Every structure is written in C-alpha cells, then in structure tokens.
Amino acid sequence: MARRIAAGAAYGGGGIGLIGAATVGVVLAEVQLAKRTVGGGHADPPRSDGRYGRAYGEDPGHPDCSDCSEPVRFAMLGDSTAAGQGVHRAGQTPGALLAAGLAAVAERPVDLRNVALPGAQSDDLDRQVTLVLSDPAWVPDVCVIMIGANDVTHRMPPTRSVRHLSAAVRRLRTAGAEVVVGTCPDLGTVENVYQPLRWLARRVSRQLAAAQTIGVVEQGGRTVSLGDLLGPEFAANPRELFGPDNYHPSAEGYATAAMAVLPTLCAALGLWPEEERPDISRREGFLPVARAAAQAAAEGGTEVTPAMPAGPRGPWALLKRRRRRRIHHTPDPSPLPR
C-alpha cells in the first residue's frame, strides 16, 4: 500500500482510500467522541528562533572576533509538533532541543529558524519552504520536517500528502540543504481514542509514514520514524509524555522525540561518531526502500536513508537503529544577529 501511495504521488495518480466505506459510519462516531476528549484550547507555541550554543563561537578574550566559528543554519518546518505546541518555554520545544544538541555535537553555534505552523497539513509546506529560502544570505545547512498527523485527521488523500512532502524535500535539497523528516506519528497511541478508531488510526498513520519515507528517500532526504511517538515510552507513560490536551507531547515527550531525531540530524551533516556501516546485531542493513519504509513505520526511532541506485526491485535504502543521545535542558535562545 505504501508503495502504491508513493507511486501515485510521484506519477500523478488519484487518491487511494485507506479505510473501507463500510467502516465510515463507525469511524465518524468515534471521531466525534475523540474530539470531545482530545485537544482544543491551545495557546500559541513559544517562539524558538534564535542562536543556540553561542559560547562555541566566542573567544573569551575577543568576544567580537571575526574568526569565530560560522554558525550552522538550521530550519524547522511542519505542524504543531514541529512548532512545540503544548509547552510553555522555548527551550522545551523540539526545535530548541535539536538546535542545542546539534551545537553540542558540532561545537559550533546553531542558528534556528522555525516556520512550522500549528494545524498545518502537507500542502502548507510549499509556503514554509518559500519562507525558509526567502533570504539568499541565509540558506539552511539542514532542515527537519515533522508533518502528517493533520493530513490523517483531515482525511487528505495520501497521494496528495506525499506529493507535497516530496516536492518540499526536493526544493530544499536543490537549494543545498540536508533534510530529515520525522514521519507521521502513530495516532493510535492517543490515550482517549478508542476502538475501532484506534486500530484504524494506527493502520492509516503507519501506511502514510511508510509512503512518506519512500517519497523522501527518493528525493535524497532521510527519515526518522516517529511511530508510536517514539517507542514504548509513550505507550507505557502516556500521562507523563503527553501534554495537558492529551494529544500533543509534554516537555518530556518532546525530549524523547528529539533524542531519536538528533543522531540522524547530526549524521546528515557528517557529525555523528558512529560507524555508517550497518550493525547486524541491531538488525540494520540495506533493503529495498519499500521494505525499509514498512519496517521503520512499525518501529519508532528507526532511520531510513538513501543507499544505492535503483535496481530491479527499485531504490535501496539503509535501515539504521541509532543509539539515542540524551538531550539536557536547554536555555531559551539568544536573538539572531541582524
């Protein structure tokens, strides 16, 4: 199914339904119940734009020296999860956590620009990419996109969803940026979503995540599966890792997500110390991209990256299960220099 969705997105196919017509009545009833208990009443997420790891670019004797390390330019795109909906401090958002972690690994300052929009669907990515690339003097070195949940809840045709995401990755890669995509989370983990909607939400979310992976890898990007919001932690501790609205992650939940994305973010810039060769003991290896995408969608925190040119079975990808790196609390950002 993921292969069909991705092919439809690439070659202009029509929408492919993921839920049979016979279940629509039950699903709609469950959706109405879920809406009464999940989400709503959101405050705007805190602004996380700014410079992180400023000390790495300063000479204590000459704070204004011209030989300071050039900052890494990092852009965050996507929906409310990328924006950090549900937390109150900029330093608790995933963009801030990733920028601070990247600065620590690179030992360079990191300038973050976050253009993510709460409520955004994949068709908003064209506008967001245009914002990111609007300043010729500030072209990002690396971008993280987190998108897909609203596409599912608003029933955007999956072929259309993947088409918009693939186009966004292609534009950013053409501009010279590395791209990491956090794929659609498993909406079946939301605590107040009940059966049969929970089963259907999980199935649809994973199919979209796998199709996103195929589309992104074909454009030269990398993906990290957000799966069941990154592993058994969310299923085991929903009251700690979900925020007050029972839908968006809490500060601890965002930290868990950032821990899984950071190794891939650093690897995209050649900064991660691990060997790039697959580790057989961790069930890593080279697979046709559709198989790699399906495996990643079922296991949170799994990375898929382009590997080999297309063969008889299509493009190949490297499936990796990177060791997570704990991200400590980060202070709020310093304003970006004008």
Side-chain angles (χ1 to χ4, degrees):
M1 177 63 75
R3 195 198 310 267
R4 289 175 58 202
I5 294 169
Y11 300 113
I16 298 174
L18 299 183
I19 300 178
T23 65
V24 169
V26 177
V27 170
L28 291 179
E30 290 283 0
V31 168
Q32 294 307 313
L33 176 62
K35 283 182 176 178
R36 289 198 292 269
T37 55
V38 173
H42 302 305
D44 289 338
R47 296 298 305 172
S48 57
D49 303 66
R51 179 163 291 180
Y52 295 81
R54 182 178 291 274
Y56 291 113
E58 295 178 352
D59 182 332
H62 303 280
D64 297 324
C65 72
S66 59
D67 295 327
C68 298
S69 298
E70 185 70 19
V72 177
R73 296 180 295 275
F74 169 37
M76 196 87 181
L77 305 88
D79 56 21
S80 56
T81 305
Q85 188 88 55
V87 296
H88 303 292
R89 297 189 57 186
Q92 297 172 323
T93 63
L97 292 165
L98 289 170
L102 179 58
V105 174
E107 297 186 344
R108 290 169 57 189
V110 173
D111 287 350
L112 169 65
R113 291 189 177 176
N114 194 328
V115 298
L117 178 69
Q121 299 175 53
S122 292
D123 56 4
D124 190 58
L125 288 176
D126 182 63
R127 181 192 65 84
Q128 294 184 29
V129 172
T130 298
L131 284 175
V132 167
L133 300 179
S134 61
D135 182 0
W138 198 94
V139 176
D141 298 302
V142 66
C143 302
V144 168
I145 303 174
M146 300 171 71
I147 200 81
N150 295 320
D151 296 11
V152 173
T153 59
H154 290 79
R155 293 185 290 176
M156 176 182 286
T159 50
R160 182 181 170 204
S161 174
V162 174
R163 187 179 301 130
H164 284 295
L165 176 59
S166 298
V169 174
R170 182 166 57 251
R171 287 181 64 192
L172 293 168
R173 293 286 294 138
T174 300
E178 298 291 338
V179 181
V180 176
V181 174
T183 56
C184 181
D186 182 350
L187 298 179
T189 61
V190 178
E191 189 176 19
N192 289 323
V193 173
Y194 304 106
Q195 298 290 10
L197 181 59
R198 179 184 295 274
W199 178 85
L200 291 166
R202 170 164 288 122
R203 181 183 178 193
V204 173
S205 301
R206 289 185 177 182
Q207 286 178 345
L208 179 58
Q212 287 177 320
T213 294
I214 295 171
V216 169
V217 168
E218 288 179 345
Q219 300 301 326
R222 302 172 182 235
T223 64
V224 177
S225 171
L226 298 189
D228 50 358
L229 289 176
L230 300 174
E233 295 95 334
F234 274 80
N237 302 294
R239 299 188 185 280
E240 294 179 16
L241 300 182
F242 282 111
D245 64 0
N246 297 316
Y247 185 79
H248 292 96
S250 64
E252 186 62 28
Y254 280 128
T256 301
M259 277 195 298
V261 175
L262 179 62
T264 301
L265 176 64
C266 295
L269 294 173
L271 300 171
W272 201 245
E274 291 184 344
E275 291 288 338
E276 288 300 315
R277 290 173 297 179
D279 185 341
I280 302 301
S281 68
R282 296 171 62 82
R283 295 176 292 115
E284 299 177 343
F286 296 98
L287 296 169
V289 66
R291 282 186 56 197
Q295 288 193 27
E299 183 180 349
T302 306
E303 174 191 316
V304 181
T305 188
M308 306 176 192
R313 300 176 65 184
W316 284 66
L318 174 59
L319 183 79
K320 288 190 71 69
R321 296 173 173 86
R322 295 186 183 275
R323 292 178 175 84
R324 302 181 189 181
R325 174 167 178 156
R326 181 70 183 176
I327 301 177
H328 300 288
H329 172 74
T330 180
D332 290 342
S334 304
L336 287 176
R338 296 288 181 181

